[in-house]
Amino acid sequence: MVNVTIETPRGSFLKRGSTGKPDFISPLPCPFNYGSIPAYIGSDGDFLDAVVLGPRLPLGASISVYAWGAVGMIDGGVYEDKLICAQKPISVKQQRLILLFFMIYAKAKYLLNLIKGRKGRNSCEGWLDAASALARAIPSSIHQVKDAL
């Protein structure tokens, strides 16, 4: 189980980062609750990203859920994991739909990065197990100690 803080509720058009600052406005509503896991730092240096399946959750909500898998993404040439979380196991059909979403998302993010003048490749690298994604992340307490030194 992981504790996820919701940054973008399901159905929202405004994508926020872990600082709460707006990241971008999407032409399509987000099909998932999107947030981060403050207990871990991902390979992009920010809190580990997480998707929470299920009903819409309010902005800022903190929820304990199971991490059933992860999607590997490259955003602007930087690899990052996105944990896929839900209260119950994820079906094969759900897994395929999630991967399809992130394949389309990678293409849209590439265009957004071009507009913002950011370079680098964007792609969906596929489905992974949650344990490998968590093993790549750094516990926040360790990261905070390194920053203080």
Side-chain angles (χ1 to χ4, degrees):
M1 287 201 75
V2 292
N3 291 318
V4 179
T5 301
I6 302 302
E7 299 159 0
T8 304
R10 179 180 174 178
S12 179
F13 290 87
L14 180 61
K15 165 72 170 76
R16 294 179 185 274
S18 61
T19 62
K21 263 181 68 177
D23 193 13
F24 63 88
I25 297 174
S26 171
L28 300 172
C30 187
F32 319 110
N33 295 291
Y34 195 91
S36 61
I37 302 170
Y40 291 97
I41 304 296
S43 55
D44 62 350
D46 201 359
F47 292 139
L48 183 60
D49 291 332
V51 165
V52 178
L53 304 181
R56 180 183 171 96
L57 298 168
L59 174 66
S62 183
I63 183 170
S64 292
V65 289
Y66 294 99
W68 297 103
V71 172
M73 295 287 298
I74 295 180
D75 183 0
V78 177
Y79 179 85
E80 59 185 4
D81 290 303
K82 302 198 181 285
L83 274 187
I84 309 301
C85 305
Q87 294 296 350
K88 57 184 181 177
I90 297 168
S91 70
V92 172
K93 181 180 178 182
Q94 285 176 308
Q95 184 178 334
R96 287 184 185 140
L97 289 172
I98 292 164
L99 280 173
L100 177 61
F101 168 80
F102 279 109
M103 286 177 201
I104 295 167
Y105 179 80
K107 293 179 187 320
K109 197 73 187 274
Y110 173 76
L111 293 174
L112 182 64
N113 285 347
L114 277 180
I115 292 167
K116 290 182 174 182
R118 297 179 185 159
K119 297 183 180 183
R121 185 168 75 92
N122 285 64
S123 67
C124 174
E125 299 294 292
W127 190 267
L128 311 161
D129 63 288
S132 64
L134 287 167
R136 276 188 292 282
I138 300 169
S140 291
S141 57
I142 292 173
H143 189 69
Q144 291 165 352
V145 169
K146 284 182 183 178
D147 285 349
L149 297 177

